[in-house]
């Protein structure tokens, strides 16, 4: 097998056709991050319930939102850099193509790790919920 790979014009066209969607999704992600950051800061600043049982949860919700902003920011950044590298392929050739693929790899690696972490956390929440349900159920008898 040869180490050289020939990239056809059709392959490049397909890659270039994804660029507007990649850029759109990255910009939309940044906009959503900004709204989430504003909401998180509002909750930290005391917006929401001023009294009652929900008042204590405001800062926690704010921190939760800001953590999600951090999680969503990086995939958006990877997508934007990927779109930029795709745009440079006609001018820079091989170097920009390699950069585009590296940026795409970074995006999918981040999403894969995030998905694995979320699956583990969901499993822990389910097991914890069942355990608490059983514990409280036994306590009531």
């Amino acid at each position: 097998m040869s180490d050289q790979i020939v990239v056809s014009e059709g392959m490049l066209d397909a890659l270039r056709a994804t660029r507007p969607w990649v850029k759109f999704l990255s910009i939309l992600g940044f906009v959503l991050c900004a709204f989430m950051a504003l909401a998180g800061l509002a909750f930290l600043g005391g917006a929401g319930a001023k009294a009652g049982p929900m008042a204590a949860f405001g800062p926690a919700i704010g921190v939760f939102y800001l953590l999600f902003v951090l999680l969503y920011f990086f995939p958006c950044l990877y997508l934007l850099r990927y779109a930029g590298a795709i745009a440079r392929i006609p001018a820079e050739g091989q170097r920009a193509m390699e950069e585009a693929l590296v940026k795409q790899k970074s995006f999918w690696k981040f999403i894969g790790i995030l998905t694995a972490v979320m699956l583990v956390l969901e499993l822990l929440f389910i097991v914890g919920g069942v355990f608490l349900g059983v514990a409280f159920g036994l306590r009531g008898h």
Side-chain angles (χ1 to χ4, degrees):
M1 177 177 238
S2 172
D3 289 332
Q4 192 128 352
I5 296 174
V6 176
V7 179
S8 70
E9 195 61 37
M11 295 163 106
L12 287 174
D13 286 343
L15 191 58
R16 284 189 287 251
T18 65
R19 184 178 177 271
W21 293 108
V22 170
K23 192 171 182 181
F24 169 72
L25 290 173
S26 68
I27 291 170
L28 180 63
F30 284 129
V31 169
L32 292 175
C33 282
F35 283 128
M36 286 175 56
L38 290 173
L41 293 173
F43 276 108
L44 283 176
K50 295 287 184 189
M54 289 305 292
F57 291 110
I61 292 171
V63 169
F64 185 74
Y65 269 52
L66 292 176
L67 287 174
F68 267 98
V69 168
L70 285 175
L71 284 178
Y72 287 135
F73 176 81
F74 290 103
C76 296
L77 183 61
Y78 294 143
L79 284 179
L80 188 63
R81 289 178 177 170
Y82 173 51
I86 291 172
R88 290 191 305 278
I89 290 173
E92 296 178 18
Q94 181 81 18
R95 189 166 58 99
M97 178 70 140
E98 287 175 5
E99 183 184 344
L101 293 173
V102 167
K103 301 303 180 194
Q104 185 185 59
K105 177 213 51 107
S106 296
F107 170 77
W108 287 113
K109 182 179 178 181
F110 187 92
I111 294 298
I113 291 169
L114 182 62
T115 301
V117 168
M118 294 305 287
L119 286 172
V120 169
L121 287 175
E122 288 174 12
L123 181 63
L124 289 174
F125 281 127
I126 290 170
V127 170
V130 169
F131 177 76
L132 286 174
V134 168
F136 283 121
L138 292 175
R139 188 173 177 202
H141 283 94

